[in-house]
Amino acid sequence: MTLDQAIQLTQQTFPRVYFACHSRHAARRSRDTGLSARDADILAHLDVDRPMAPSLLARHLGRARSTVSEAIKRLEALGYVTHDRSGVRLTATGIRTVRTTSVFEHIRLEKLLRHATPAELARIGRGLDTLSAICRRAAEAP
């Protein structure tokens, strides 16, 4: 596959997935969890296994480092993230919260993915994980 073909495929497929699975009530759900939209946005950019540097997160989100650091402290106090020298990670509570605040509604996504075979689920996982890793590398590039 060429770069142009990959761009075209991504531009055609992601809107379909978004339309099928996006949450129509993210703001309400964020209020239900006690999180601000900013907090939910930060959680959506974190992972349980791969720590992210707060400075990188701030740069990616286009927010001041101090603003992101303050939010991380709050999220850590609430048990949603852990923060150490390697970076910020989601906790199990954070993962559950992402499910309720994600732009992709958990129930819609589950209903959609029930139509996939185990082999298709594995390909979806590998593809999304690969795309995510590329996004992270690009964000970390100088």
Side-chain angles (χ1 to χ4, degrees):
M1 175 175 288
T2 67
L3 178 58
D4 283 340
Q5 289 169 328
I7 291 168
Q8 181 180 354
L9 181 63
T10 302
Q11 288 176 324
Q12 289 175 333
T13 57
F14 267 76
R16 291 181 201 143
V17 173
Y18 180 81
F19 182 76
C21 302
H22 80 278
S23 172
R24 291 179 174 85
H25 306 288
R28 180 187 60 77
R29 270 197 289 284
S30 292
R31 282 194 304 271
D32 291 347
T33 63
L35 296 177
S36 68
R38 176 194 70 184
D39 293 338
D41 196 29
I42 288 171
L43 291 179
H45 284 83
L46 298 175
D47 189 277
V48 75
D49 296 318
R50 297 178 199 132
M52 179 174 283
S55 59
L56 176 62
L57 184 59
R59 185 176 67 191
H60 172 74
L61 295 173
R63 299 207 173 103
R65 289 171 84 169
S66 59
T67 301
V68 172
S69 291
E70 176 187 315
I72 289 169
K73 286 178 188 173
R74 181 173 179 272
L75 293 169
E76 188 171 26
L78 293 169
Y80 296 120
V81 301
T82 60
H83 181 211
D84 58 29
R85 287 183 169 204
S86 64
V88 184
R89 290 184 180 93
L90 283 175
T91 62
T93 301
I95 292 169
R96 286 190 299 274
T97 303
V98 167
R99 284 185 171 193
T100 63
T101 60
S102 174
V103 66
F104 285 148
E105 191 172 307
H106 180 81
I107 293 169
R108 288 173 176 256
L109 194 54
E110 182 178 359
K111 185 176 179 181
L112 175 77
L113 291 176
R114 285 185 185 273
H115 294 276
T117 67
E120 289 170 330
L121 289 173
R123 286 197 309 272
I124 290 166
R126 284 191 307 273
L128 289 172
D129 192 49
T130 299
L131 184 57
S132 176
I134 292 166
C135 291
R136 184 175 284 246
R137 279 198 318 265
E140 292 171 350

